[in-house]
Each structure stands twice: as C-alpha cells, then as structure tokens.
Amino acid sequence: MIQRPEYLNKLLGFKDKQLIKIVTGVRRCGKSTLFELYQLELLKNGVLPEQIHSINLEDPAYEELLEWRKLYQYINSRLLADKKNYIFIDEIQNVVDFEKAADGLFIKKNVDLYLTGSNSKMQSGEWATLLSGRYIEIHMLPLSFKEYHSAAFTGNIEDTFRNYLENSSFPYSLQLDNNKKQIRDYLGGIYNTIVLKDVVENKKIRDISRLESVIKFMADNVSNLTSIKKISDTMTSDGIKMLPLTIESYLDAFRGSYILYKASRYDIKGKKYLQTLDKYYLVDIGLRYYLLGDKKADRGHILENIVYLELIRRGYKVYIGKIDNKEIDFITEGIDGIEYYQVSDSVADESTLERELAPFNAVRDHNPKFLLTKDFHARTSHNGVRQLNVFDWLLA
C-alpha cells in the first residue's frame, strides 16, 4: 500500500475525539486503503483486533445492511462494552437514512466512528444539514505528485511527471506497470461508475450522450475561464442544444461526484467575489487522456490543474485573481494569510516572464507571491516575487 501520511495524520489527530470522521472524495482515490492504514496504526498502538469493526457497503456480503436499522443493530450487537470500539463504514451513502444509524452510534461513549462517501449525497452541505456540526470532513484526492514520486520515480523527474499525468494519479494505476491499455480500461471503469452510478442514477438523467458532451468539453477546457453561456453556445454550434440550467445541473452533479472542481474569481482591487467566468479543474489528468485521447492540451493549463489540486490538498481556499484586465492564476487563503501564485510551463522567454509578472506588479499589498515553472536554474527572485521550480514545490 502506498503511504498517505498527510491524510493518515489528519485521522490520527482526531482519534477518540467526539466527532464523526467523514472521508470524502472521488471513487478509487484511496479512502478504503486509508482506513486500512489507519487500522494498522491502531493495532500498532495497542488497540485489539476485536475493537475494530469494518464494513464496506459495496460488498454484496453486507447488502442486507443497506437499511439503517439493520446496520445499526448489526454494529451495536458487536460492540465491546468495556473498551473503545473503532467503527469504519465505507460508502455510507448507500444506506437510506444513513444519518439515523450514524447518530445512534455517535452518541455511544465507547464508539469512535469513521465513514467514507464518494458522491453527491456526501457533499458538505448535506452533511451539515443531517449531522448538525457533529462531524469533521477530511476531503481526499488521488495521489499527489509527491506520493506518486515516492512509489514510481523513474530516475528522471520529468519522465516521472509525464507518467503521473498520462498514467493517472489514481493509486491502483501504479499496479498496472505503465500498461497503457490496462490503464485506459481501468480509468474507463472509474469513469463509467462515476457517470452512470453517481451522476446518472442520482440525478435521474436520461440523455447520457449530452451529459458526456459536457464533461468532454470541460476536460478540453481545464484552466480556461468558462461560463455556462460559453458551454451552451459551443454545444449549440456542435448541433447539441442544451438549456443553461441543464448544463449548470450537470456541472453541479460532476462537482458533487468530485470529478470536477470549480474556482471562482475574486476582484483584488474591488475586494469582492465575481459571479461570472469560473475555472474548472479535473480531479485526475489521466481522465482527460481517457476522454479525449491524444488531443493536444496547453501544457501550462495542465500544469495549472496540477497546482490547483495541490493547493487544495494543502488546505487552502483557492480563487482566481482579477486585477484590472489582468489575471493571477491563484489567490489562496490559509491559516497564514493570503498568497498569490502564477503558473507557467516556462518563462525562459523574456516576454513570457514579463507577461507572468505583470499581474503581480499591479498588486499593491505585500502578501507572498510565487511564480511556479518547470524551469531549472532560473532566477529565484523578481522584485519580491519568488520563482520556484514546480517539481521542487510539489515534492516539498
């Protein structure tokens, strides 16, 4: 198993706290494996095997537990009365009225409860409504480049990064030994499960071809400023008429299944959030290759997608910055304040460097500013803007 120390440490930090721990994220990103890693840590630290109770509700062996009372009774009958019980339930959203079972277990003093979920039923808003502040959500993504690199470094950083993009960041892809056909089949299985099970089934969508046309458009436009109208106009020009409300509902469904992430714009001078022209990012660039084949993409846009996901992993709130008629790729809010990021494949060309620095020069505050590129041996500072090699930054 590939180690996932950042997520594991988060779980360990909440051990025995009177909160339900919910791990959310796209299917096959490693949630179940994270629970296995955590259970091994519990055993290393003196917890007995009989104190750990683990159920995967996608296993047909537990099909009868998809009714909340039966799930609750099954677990309750196995609890040790005189010891702490660590309860792990995978894909809890498959249970009708699952919050009733969760609440019943939560109130027991000898229970520490851990759940996972993969689709729109597990969005933060719904949990907030159903569990009213009694939970902590740990959002999980597929492998970071640092995690991938630790398991599959080829000896050349650029080759390893190319494999990371093309072969997918989903953990199991590493078991397929760069076999392109097997990786494509594996990604196809993930994609079809997300689209057919999480989106089509949950949202009662009838026209799957239209749904797929939207996700392919989004895959082809990662890191581009996009509006619902632009998508609608493109669909119409391709002979596919879709109402803006339909497109918006599709995007919400993809975001609910964690296949797409949205970053809204923020006007730095006006200090306000903007309602138009968002950017969308794919949870895994390997899925882009699956959806679009070898269709060329702007390398800077692909790199921006990777940096966005890494910023999310590191716990930042992320926005697109607007200042006058210029754009800053990312404004982040974290516990240490605000930071600004520009991302470019290379700024070896002087005119490209000037273009990337121009938005920074328009910002009058003194918050940290970073320029991330693939360039090696470049200048490290430009009037207070720190230029970093993006591979070093990703591996930090």
Side-chain angles (χ1 to χ4, degrees):
M1 291 186 290
I2 299 171
Q3 297 300 306
R4 311 295 299 271
E6 292 180 10
Y7 297 116
L8 182 58
N9 288 336
K10 287 180 182 179
L11 283 181
L12 288 169
F14 285 105
K15 176 179 176 290
D16 294 333
K17 299 293 192 297
Q18 191 62 17
L19 291 166
I20 301 171
K21 276 65 75 170
I22 305 169
V23 181
T24 60
V26 69
R27 289 183 181 274
R28 307 296 176 257
C29 70
K31 299 185 296 296
S32 298
T33 301
L34 177 63
F35 276 1
E36 291 178 31
L37 291 168
Y38 184 59
Q39 289 165 27
L40 288 174
E41 286 296 316
L42 293 177
L43 293 171
K44 287 179 186 176
N45 287 282
V47 174
L48 301 175
E50 53 267 31
Q51 291 176 255
I52 298 173
H53 311 271
S54 185
I55 297 171
N56 188 331
L57 291 170
E58 292 199 320
D59 185 339
Y62 296 113
E63 185 175 5
E64 66 177 22
L65 302 183
L66 297 181
E67 196 276 318
W68 76 266
R69 289 183 182 83
K70 292 182 179 179
L71 175 64
Y72 173 81
Q73 290 165 1
Y74 176 88
I75 295 172
N76 189 49
S77 66
R78 287 162 172 77
L79 297 179
L80 301 181
D82 58 343
K83 293 185 181 297
K84 197 75 166 182
N85 294 266
Y86 297 89
I87 311 300
F88 299 87
I89 307 176
D90 270 313
E91 306 299 349
I92 188 66
Q93 79 279 349
N94 290 327
V95 177
V96 178
D97 294 331
F98 56 81
E99 71 278 6
K100 296 179 180 178
D103 275 338
L105 295 168
F106 169 77
I107 62 176
K108 294 182 176 296
K109 300 300 183 183
N110 63 336
V111 165
D112 195 11
L113 181 59
Y114 300 80
L115 311 174
T116 76
S118 301
N119 64 30
S120 56
K121 293 180 182 177
M122 295 291 289
Q123 291 185 83
S124 298
E126 183 161 349
W127 273 111
T129 300
L130 296 175
L131 296 179
S132 308
R134 298 189 294 281
Y135 73 99
I136 182 71
E137 179 180 0
I138 297 172
H139 186 65
M140 194 171 188
L141 288 162
L143 297 177
S144 67
F145 181 58
K146 184 177 182 179
E147 291 166 335
Y148 186 94
H149 179 275
S150 71
F153 182 49
T154 65
N156 180 286
I157 193 72
E158 292 177 298
D159 287 345
T160 305
F161 189 69
R162 189 179 305 111
N163 290 341
Y164 177 64
L165 298 180
E166 296 179 3
N167 292 348
S168 166
S169 60
F170 284 102
Y172 189 73
S173 66
L174 284 171
Q175 306 300 316
L176 302 178
D177 298 323
N178 291 325
N179 185 310
K180 302 296 184 184
K181 184 180 184 308
Q182 289 184 357
I183 290 170
R184 179 177 174 80
D185 291 343
Y186 172 63
L187 290 175
I190 294 174
Y191 170 76
N192 287 327
T193 300
I194 293 170
V195 171
L196 297 179
K197 190 165 186 177
D198 290 347
V199 177
V200 173
E201 182 180 304
N202 289 342
K203 301 298 182 180
K204 312 300 181 188
I205 294 171
R206 296 180 181 178
D207 194 334
I208 298 175
S209 64
R210 291 191 175 200
L211 182 75
E212 291 194 299
S213 69
V214 172
I215 192 60
K216 287 181 179 179
F217 175 90
M218 303 310 296
D220 198 24
N221 285 274
V222 293
S223 308
N224 282 325
L225 288 172
T226 303
S227 67
I228 301 296
K229 184 179 185 303
K230 179 181 178 181
I231 301 171
S232 180
D233 289 346
T234 302
M235 297 294 109
T236 299
S237 67
D238 291 341
I240 307 170
K241 289 189 176 181
M242 270 191 278
L243 294 173
L245 282 176
T246 300
I247 294 171
E248 189 171 10
S249 71
Y250 288 175
L251 294 180
D252 286 345
F254 285 126
R255 290 172 60 209
S257 295
Y258 309 114
I259 192 174
L260 274 185
Y261 289 76
K262 182 176 82 170
S264 298
R265 290 195 304 156
Y266 181 78
D267 185 339
I268 297 171
K269 280 191 173 179
K271 298 186 183 301
K272 62 181 180 180
Y273 299 102
L274 301 174
Q275 302 299 317
T276 58
L277 296 178
D278 304 309
K279 285 190 178 185
Y280 288 84
Y281 300 94
L282 269 179
V283 71
D284 171 66
I285 293 300
L287 284 172
R288 185 187 186 279
Y289 287 97
Y290 170 77
L291 289 166
L292 303 176
D294 294 327
K295 187 174 182 179
K296 296 296 183 183
D298 183 290
R299 291 186 300 179
H301 286 176
I302 296 297
L303 187 61
E304 185 180 322
N305 196 124
I306 297 300
V307 170
Y308 171 83
L309 294 176
E310 184 61 27
L311 290 168
I312 294 296
R313 280 189 190 92
R314 295 182 184 187
Y316 292 107
K317 293 181 179 179
V318 184
Y319 307 94
I320 310 303
K322 176 188 177 297
I323 184 160
D324 299 325
N325 62 343
K326 300 178 180 65
E327 178 189 301
I328 293 180
D329 289 330
F330 301 120
I331 303 174
T332 67
E333 291 181 7
I335 58 175
D336 295 324
I338 293 173
E339 297 176 346
Y340 300 102
Y341 290 83
Q342 286 284 75
V343 182
S344 180
D345 194 66
S346 172
V347 292
D349 179 78
E350 193 65 28
S351 62
T352 304
L353 176 61
E354 290 179 6
R355 186 184 70 239
E356 296 295 338
L357 293 177
F360 285 146
N361 295 332
V363 177
R364 299 306 177 192
D365 64 44
H366 298 288
N367 292 308
K369 302 174 180 67
F370 301 95
L371 173 60
L372 304 179
T373 80
K374 292 180 185 175
D375 297 317
F376 295 99
H377 311 300
R379 284 173 56 189
T380 58
S381 180
H382 310 272
N383 295 323
V385 176
R386 292 185 61 196
Q387 182 174 342
L388 303 175
N389 177 270
V390 70
F391 300 131
D392 292 339
W393 181 80
L394 289 168
L395 294 175

